[in-house]
Amino acid sequence: MSLNNKIVLSAELKRLLPEGQVMSDPADCWVYGYDNSRKHHLPEAVVFAHTHEDVLSVVRWCNSRQVALTARGRGTGTTGATVPVAGGVVLSLERMNRVLEISADNRFARVEPGLTNQALQDALAPLGFFWPPDPTSAAFCSVGGNLAYNSAGPRAVKYGTPRENTLGLRAVTGDGRDIRVGVFTTKGVVGYDLTRLLIGSEGTLAVITEATLKLTPLAQEKRTLRAVYATVDAAAQAISRIMAQPVTPCALEFMDYNAIEMIRQYSTSDLPQNAGALLMIEVDGASAGLNEAVEQVVQAARVEGCQDVRVARTREEVDALWQTRKALSPALRKVAPGKINEDVVVPVTELPALIVGLNQLSKRFGLRIVNFGHSGNGNIHVNILLDPQQPEQVTRAHECLAEVFALVLALRGTLSGEHGIGLEKRNYIEQELGADVLDLMSAIKRQFDPNNILNPGKLPRGYANSEASTGAPVPPGMGIHTSK
Amino acid sequence: MSLNNKIVLSAELKRLLPEGQVMSDPADCWVYGYDNSRKHHLPEAVVFAHTHEDVLSVVRWCNSRQVALTARGRGTGTTGATVPVAGGVVLSLERMNRVLEISADNRFARVEPGLTNQALQDALAPLGFFWPPDPTSAAFCSVGGNLAYNSAGPRAVKYGTPRENTLGLRAVTGDGRDIRVGVFTTKGVVGYDLTRLLIGSEGTLAVITEATLKLTPLAQEKRTLRAVYATVDAAAQAISRIMAQPVTPCALEFMDYNAIEMIRQYSTSDLPQNAGALLMIEVDGASAGLNEAVEQVVQAARVEGCQDVRVARTREEVDALWQTRKALSPALRKVAPGKINEDVVVPVTELPALIVGLNQLSKRFGLRIVNFGHSGNGNIHVNILLDPQQPEQVTRAHECLAEVFALVLALRGTLSGEHGIGLEKRNYIEQELGADVLDLMSAIKRQFDPNNILNPGKLPRGYANSEASTGAPVPPGMGIHTSK
């Protein structure tokens, strides 16, 4: 965009919105050009919406001028989905952070998209409720972002993802239509399900301005367990047995031996020698009956090859058990300055084949791969460690990644469980979806956003991506890479 | 369609499929022209698919000839959604009734659409699992039909509807594309959610040929309670209090005083005099802790105006409690030969306003209205009683129905919780959705089914419906109207 056009753009936007809601100085706009993928592209302007009407007028203006518009929550995404690769306007929703209504009797909360996940949970807890999606970044990430990527976390194994926990949405489509989709009730089948169509669409169909979320009662109590296994196979056997019995844990987290070894080297954790895999398990429910529920999970976890199962009885013991898990991210950072962090999913019974295959790829490509994640869902964070200063290693890592994805698909898995596609996986989705399904998605995109102004260069594909810049340096302190 | 064209059509279909899979004699086709709405239209041919490939070739043939095709499960729907109002081909999926795969460890079952809901549950129960959707017609209705209308039942209050309990689908779009959507895992966010888009689309976008269903562990034990209230307000207060505490019942069924009075008059049920409303409640879970859970629900149910709460302790006591509910359908049939049975939904806290409003409409239109349903979801079956032989009464009932829908929408409700739109509610959906959302749905319909061959004259709207015949007589024994 020429300097002249840029000046016109920011002048027109400033006429459209109250003072203090438009920034166009590159220094101000800089941080709005990146997300947690470390990719960056500078937008021409950043606009802060305060109301649904603000969103409506900005989207309509961008649509009439064919200016790219990328909606953004808090920028904690890891796939570059909010990086404005086509320039234009970044529409920040961080100031639309109000709780509009909470109804415990109706088990719903109506909120604005910029509300952080944690602020929502804090508002719900005194009423005895919570909203199940719990990304590791809950303290910083926004509900709108959670909806955009269908982001979940450990609790999804029992309580589901945003798609299972959202009743309805208010949104503005790419062509500026002001729509309400879904319902205020826990049942409803009037017409096609556009609510779930928008959830996970990564801001490419519409900008969500309000969400009616389905609430779940908080469990009275929670117990934490740690189980250690001699082999990945033994742990996988335990995961299958746990998932095949009636007590569904509210967390069933896995770590492979590469992860364990790393922790053993870089922390003082009390892990047994020769541990091949580890599970962190949480069981919640009413206090009455919880002992029996925990016992049932412990029995299922005690397969052949189980070296140790510990149940924490106090807050301190819980913290001690989680210390192992928490030691992982700093350890990873010590070992390698960079990593490719994927969030693939396979059916639970395919976890051993996945880990075996990943180890073969690790040897073949000469790259360290560390695996952990939400194993109750079969959702594994595959971390390919690398040094970003060595271009040859980076190339090799990307070759390896293509093989990881092929392996996952061969095991009836999916390329992303909760991080989404963004820029990172855009070139791989046709392998999973096939050309016909991608065509249908592109057709839907054209209906919602005929001028392709919403987050261009992302989902579904087939749109120009000419201005993409994915190698720009990250300013100091901006490249924090939260391990999930 | 001319006789000549009809002969060509059936001859071509017979060439397409093995012997015994095509019927064209009107006497044979007759029963495939109706569903439980009592509406009827004769199709030109009925085709029985045995495989996904059968569906593929029939859809492609119909699409190339622009012949209407209405997919059909078991015809238990109540809205006329499978009545082939444009004639053409009825594609029966009842012979595609195989369980393809059950994996308890992965908590999924892969099944064909013609499998009955009950046959699915029977296959899952020995493994300790079930699929949550439980329409009253479970013994007869098909999984494909459940998916087409997002049909649920009492258990949805705790376990959700098909949209929350389906992982992925195989399907054939109206233009003959062979697609797989969704995943085999409990997480997945690669591209737009076409799985949920197809669920509830009433066979207008694609024909589902296979479904991967999410399984839930069977609870160890279940307890049944009956609570009787002096007023609807008191019962509504109890519903709200039950839904605001942590123990979610697996059924929370409601009956208003018109329903109770009917039962008192036509059965020997032991209901107190002057009962204004009644709740049937079920609580399930692990045996350990279930007493405490039931006690918590009983406490929440005991609001001011509560006349009686009984907890059944034996199988016989459970049956006795349910007798009240079961006496309702025969009583309704004795009182009125016909009825309009709706399945509106309002937020739980709006139930008193809904019931008060319905009683006002009952008086104003001089029609008896009996209300019962799944109150934990706010899903009420509104039964407007009438004599179909009195045209003036039928007209009045439809005028009343329009007011019922306006009332429901004013209370932030939705026109259908589990029966869908079909023919019955097609003229009302714009009131709920608005023109922009309907336009988006029509645009999506055009992408999946450009020649409008799939179930024409139904969702979303704006398609020719010239051949519709909704007043044809129902053959003897075909007009069974199952009360839900």
Side-chain angles (χ1 to χ4, degrees), chain A residues 189-442:
Chain A
V189 56
V190 173
Y192 305 151
D193 187 347
L194 303 188
T195 308
R196 269 72 169 226
L197 191 69
L198 296 190
I199 296 174
S201 68
E202 307 191 6
T204 61
L205 299 178
V207 179
I208 295 169
T209 59
E210 182 187 312
T212 305
L213 307 172
K214 182 180 171 185
L215 308 183
T216 299
L218 279 167
Q220 252 178 324
E221 240 185 274
K222 189 163 69 176
R223 298 281 168 77
T224 303
L225 292 75
R226 192 187 74 187
V228 184
Y229 298 89
T231 62
V232 166
D233 269 356
Q237 179 72 19
I239 294 165
S240 287
R241 274 187 51 186
I242 291 167
M243 292 309 287
Q245 56 81 49
V247 179
T248 306
C250 66
L252 180 46
E253 300 288 297
F254 165 88
M255 241 182 254
D256 77 352
Y257 45 85
N258 287 312
I260 296 173
E261 271 313 296
M262 202 162 281
I263 293 167
R264 286 173 53 79
Q265 286 167 33
Y266 294 92
S267 80
T268 56
S269 202
D270 63 336
L271 289 166
Q273 291 271 355
N274 306 317
L278 180 148
L279 298 180
M280 294 291 306
I281 310 167
E282 290 196 324
V283 179
D284 68 0
S287 304
L290 194 58
N291 284 338
E292 289 82 354
V294 169
E295 188 47 38
Q296 207 166 323
V297 172
V298 168
Q299 286 310 321
R302 281 219 173 94
V303 295
E304 207 183 310
C306 176
Q307 297 176 327
D308 182 42
V309 182
R310 288 192 196 179
V311 183
R313 308 239 165 247
T314 63
R315 186 68 248 171
E316 289 68 36
E317 285 176 26
V318 170
D319 290 345
L321 289 190
W322 276 110
Q323 231 171 20
T324 314
R325 173 67 182 81
K326 284 181 188 155
L328 189 56
S329 287
L332 273 172
R333 265 183 235 121
K334 273 186 204 155
V335 171
K339 61 176 177 173
I340 297 177
N341 171 17
E342 284 309 328
D343 77 314
V344 300
V345 195
V346 295
V348 162
T349 50
E350 303 291 359
L351 284 172
L354 176 69
I355 302 296
V356 166
L358 289 171
N359 289 329
Q360 286 166 351
L361 291 174
S362 166
K363 276 185 202 131
R364 203 173 112 204
F365 287 93
L367 291 161
R368 199 156 177 187
I369 305 183
V370 175
N371 305 301
F372 54 93
H374 317 306
S375 55
N377 295 109
N379 187 192
I380 299 297
H381 294 290
V382 175
N383 292 267
I384 305 175
L385 306 190
L386 53 85
D387 181 354
Q389 305 302 322
Q390 296 188 38
E392 182 275 331
Q393 207 179 75
V394 175
T395 307
R396 221 172 341 123
H398 278 98
E399 283 166 17
C400 178
L401 186 61
E403 301 268 349
V404 170
F405 289 153
L407 171 65
V408 165
L409 294 179
L411 298 172
R412 294 203 289 184
T414 179
L415 303 186
S416 176
E418 54 186 14
H419 292 176
I421 301 306
L423 295 165
E424 299 280 356
K425 276 178 262 194
R426 197 162 175 257
N427 294 334
Y428 300 102
I429 56 174
E430 185 164 347
Q431 272 177 267
E432 175 167 341
L433 301 177
D436 278 329
V437 168
L438 260 180
D439 278 350
L440 285 168
M441 290 180 183
S442 295

Side-chain angles (χ1 to χ4, degrees), chain A residues 101 106-107 163-164 186-187 189 192-193 196 204 243 248 348-349 377 379 412 416 418 436 447, chain B residues 101 106-107 163-164 186-187 189 192-193 196 204 243 248 348-349 377 379 412 416 418 447:
Chain A
E101 180 182 3
N106 290 315
R107 292 192 175 186
R163 281 182 179 146
E164 288 83 32
T186 47
K187 267 184 179 173
V189 56
Y192 305 151
D193 187 347
R196 269 72 169 226
T204 61
M243 292 309 287
T248 306
V348 162
T349 50
N377 295 109
N379 187 192
R412 294 203 289 184
S416 176
E418 54 186 14
D436 278 329
Q447 298 302 338
Chain B
E101 180 183 4
N106 290 316
R107 292 194 175 184
R163 281 180 180 147
E164 288 84 31
T186 47
K187 266 184 179 173
V189 56
Y192 304 152
D193 187 347
R196 269 73 168 226
T204 61
M243 292 309 289
T248 306
V348 163
T349 49
N377 295 109
N379 186 192
R412 293 205 288 186
S416 177
E418 54 185 15
Q447 300 302 339

Side-chain angles (χ1 to χ4, degrees), chain A residues 98-112:
Chain A
R98 289 176 304 166
V99 175
L100 300 172
E101 180 182 3
I102 298 181
S103 173
D105 296 352
N106 290 315
R107 292 192 175 186
F108 74 63
R110 216 157 45 80
V111 306
E112 289 184 333

Side-chain angles (χ1 to χ4, degrees), chain A residues 412, chain B residues 52 96 98-103 107-115 120 124 131 142-148 162 165-171 179-184 195 198-199 207-215:
Chain A
R412 294 203 289 184
Chain B
H52 170 82
M96 285 182 70
R98 288 176 304 168
V99 175
L100 302 171
E101 180 183 4
I102 298 180
S103 174
R107 292 194 175 184
F108 73 63
R110 213 157 47 80
V111 305
E112 290 183 332
L115 186 72
L120 170 65
L124 298 175
W131 189 53
S142 68
V143 170
N146 299 166
L147 296 170
N165 290 286
T166 306
L167 304 176
L169 300 171
R170 192 173 190 195
I179 60 171
R180 276 194 184 275
V181 297
V183 285
F184 293 100
T195 308
L198 296 189
I199 297 174
V207 179
I208 294 169
T209 60
E210 183 188 311
T212 304
L213 308 172
K214 181 179 171 186
L215 307 183

